[in-house]
Amino acid sequence: MKTVEIKPNIYWVGAIDWAVRDFHGYVTPNGTTYNNYLIMDDEVTLVDTVKYDFKRVTIENIKSICDPSKIKNVVINHIEPDHASGLAKIMSIAPDATIYITSKGKKGLDRHFDTSNWNFKIVKTGDTLKTGKYTLTFLETPMLHWPDSMMTYVNEAKLLFSQDAFGQHLATSSRFDDDFIECASQFELDHAVVDYYANILMPFGQLIKRKIDEVQKLGLEIDMIAPDHGLIWRKEPDKILQTYIDLADGKADLSVAIIYDTMWHSTELMTLPLVQGIKDEGIDCKVIKLRATPMSVAITQFWKSRGCLIGSPTLNNILYPSVAEYLTHLRGLRPKNRIMGAFGSYGWGGGAVRDAYEEFKRMKLEVVEPGIQVNYKPSQEDEDTCYEFAREFARKVKEYHSTFE
Ligand code: FEO
């Protein structure tokens, strides 16, 4: 796709990856983009590079604007390979360019490339680079979401290059939020934002809030936010900032996700009265079978819902493997502000429900105990118990949800 001028003399020169469906284990049914930006000023400056596979796309894009050997500065906001693996190619074309990067970023690049002949300028929060008409101010954002991460603010353009933050995995011919909403829908965009946040940024909510607060205290006026994935926020950049604050504060729908797996359908049968009980308390409910659903989809549904019931059969006295894997993955994302319960069938000695609650407590999530275990297949009496437990769980979800309003 052709380059797009996003501000006077500042161009999107990135690549659209329509085909990627597995982004290091995170499913991307809508593909993604690797955004990078070229500032055509007295000193030509490239902000972020591109995934190695797409280096030709970015180089051709740059060539359509200027001779790439004229690049004087390369800002590396983040070294993860989806943005920086194309750097060696850029440096082979512009060998005299200076790389502006955090000290942790430099250490990371040293592990990935032979950097011995590259020029570096290590930057910290508040450091600036004058490219001519424009002034770039760097803002370190460690652990947002890697130790090396930073953002770059273009003072005169009121433009924030935010690297991964505020991104979305959306391959689209639209470059801006308002274009996309017109061509597709607000719903798709909102979903993409939450999906991205849940799977990548969930552990860093408090850090995000502090960083947004820092930006606001610096008095930086933001007219546009240009992330490294997906759409550029030009219509309402304040709105995406507020969305991130809300997500960090634990915003969720008043709904329940039932996430389960099953061996011989007994645990699955338990989901039916559970759904009915939740619905009869007036709460929406979605059901996800783990072996039929990509992990990242189940993570997003968990994050969208205030309450979650985890269902697992007992296998060899512990959790069923897919459920154990899911809960381990979830624990790494450090979820907050959610309320949990567990259910499952067992044959001769239980264990799965007990283990699920142990995991919830390790994650410091609210729980409704003791959950439900049924022997082999649920009887009518077990189904009635599931139904009553679901109603009680739904009432607790409503009560807990009200503390966030
Ligand atoms: Fe899009 Fe952390 O890389």
Side-chain angles (χ1 to χ4, degrees), residues 267-284:
T267 300
E268 190 165 60
L269 282 172
M270 295 172 77
T271 64
L272 303 177
L274 289 170
V275 170
Q276 193 61 53
I278 290 162
K279 193 71 191 158
D280 287 352
E281 284 292 332
I283 295 188
D284 187 38

Side-chain angles (χ1 to χ4, degrees), residues 2-3 21 26 60 99 106 111 125 160 174 185 208 242 255 284 311 319 332 337 357 364 367 379 403:
K2 285 201 300 191
T3 63
R21 292 292 178 270
Y26 166 9
E60 289 305 314
I99 297 169
K106 161 79 165 59
R111 300 291 298 172
T125 293
L160 182 69
S174 301
S185 72
I208 287 167
Q242 188 58 48
S255 65
D284 187 38
L319 285 162
N337 306 319
Y357 278 100
K364 299 187 170 52
V367 292
S379 62
T403 64

